[in-house]
C-alpha cells in the first residue's frame, strides 16, 4: 500500500516559545491531548531529544476504551521542528512557524490503513484545535 500523508494545521495566537512549551511539557499535554470532551490523557512522558522516547495514555473518560500512543524522536529543533517515528513505523513531522505574537503549527503524518483518511485527519485536527484553545486560554 502506498503511504498517504495527511496534514493538519492551525494558527495559535501565542508566541512560539509558549506554543513549544505547551506542545511538549507533559503537565500541559495531559490537559489538551484529546479529540473530544469525552476523552482525556491521564499520563504523558516526554524525553524531548533526538533518540528520546515519548508516550501518552489516551482513554475514554468512562473507561470503555484506551490506548497508548508513543514513539521515538528523529529530530528536535527547538521552537522550529519535531520529527518522530511512531511505534508502528509511521512518521510524523511538526513545524512551528514564528509570526511574532502568533505561531503556525503544521503537522504532517503518515496515515494508517485501518480508518478512512478523512476520519484520521478530523481526529488529528480536533486534537490540534483543542491544543490551540488550551494554549490561547492558559
Amino acid at each position: 500500500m502506498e503511504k498517504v500523508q495527511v496534514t493538519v494545521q492551525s494558527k495559535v495566537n501565542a508566541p512560539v516559545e509558549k506554543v513549544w512549551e505547551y506542545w511538549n511539557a507533559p503537565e500541559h499535554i495531559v490537559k489538551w491531548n484529546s479529540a473530544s470532551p469525552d476523552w482525556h490523557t491521564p499520563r504523558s512522558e516526554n524525553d524531548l531529544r533526538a533518540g528520546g522516547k515519548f508516550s501518552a495514555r489516551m482513554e475514554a473518560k468512562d473507561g470503555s476504551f484506551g490506548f497508548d500512543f508513543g514513539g521515538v524522536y528523529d529530530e528536535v529543533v527547538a521552537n522550529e521542528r519535531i520529527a518522530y517515528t511512531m511505534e508502528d513505523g509511521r512518521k510524523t513531522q511538526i513545524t512551528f512557524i514564528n509570526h511574532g505574537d502568533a505561531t503556525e503549527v503544521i503537522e504532517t503524518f503518515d496515515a494508517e490503513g485501518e480508518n478512512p483518511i478523512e476520519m484520521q485527519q478530523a481526529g488529528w485536527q480536533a486534537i490540534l484545535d483543542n491544543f490551540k484553545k488550551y494554549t490561547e486560554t492558559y
Side-chain angles (χ1 to χ4, degrees):
M1 182 181 118
E2 189 182 327
K3 278 195 176 166
V4 176
Q5 289 199 315
V6 180
T7 299
V8 296
Q9 61 189 78
S10 183
K11 192 168 188 179
V12 181
N13 294 306
V16 71
E17 295 81 7
K18 179 181 180 183
V19 169
W20 181 265
E21 181 189 342
Y22 278 40
W23 186 270
N24 292 300
E27 64 268 25
H28 291 298
I29 294 169
V30 297
K31 300 220 169 67
W32 61 260
N33 191 31
S34 62
S36 63
D38 52 340
W39 277 73
H40 68 146
T41 297
R43 186 181 76 249
S44 171
E45 295 171 20
N46 196 10
D47 182 7
L48 186 63
R49 61 182 176 82
K53 293 183 178 179
F54 68 92
S55 69
R57 176 71 186 168
M58 300 175 85
E59 293 179 352
K61 286 183 179 173
D62 66 7
S64 63
F65 187 75
F67 62 94
D68 292 311
F69 180 83
V72 176
Y73 290 109
D74 301 312
E75 181 184 24
V76 176
V77 180
N79 300 326
E80 289 181 24
R81 187 172 52 256
I82 296 171
Y84 64 81
T85 302
M86 293 179 250
E87 289 167 339
D88 64 6
R90 293 182 297 133
K91 303 265 187 192
T92 300
Q93 180 167 303
I94 306 115
T95 305
F96 301 83
I97 301 172
N98 184 349
H99 294 287
D101 56 359
T103 305
E104 200 170 343
V105 180
I106 304 167
E107 197 171 12
T108 302
F109 64 95
D110 292 340
E112 40 90 350
E114 289 178 31
N115 297 295
I117 300 294
E118 296 75 22
M119 185 177 143
Q120 295 178 61
Q121 184 169 18
W124 285 58
Q125 185 68 55
I127 293 170
L128 184 54
D129 292 346
N130 212 31
F131 170 76
K132 170 184 166 69
K133 187 173 138 195
Y134 172 78
T135 304
E136 289 177 354
T137 304
Y138 299 102

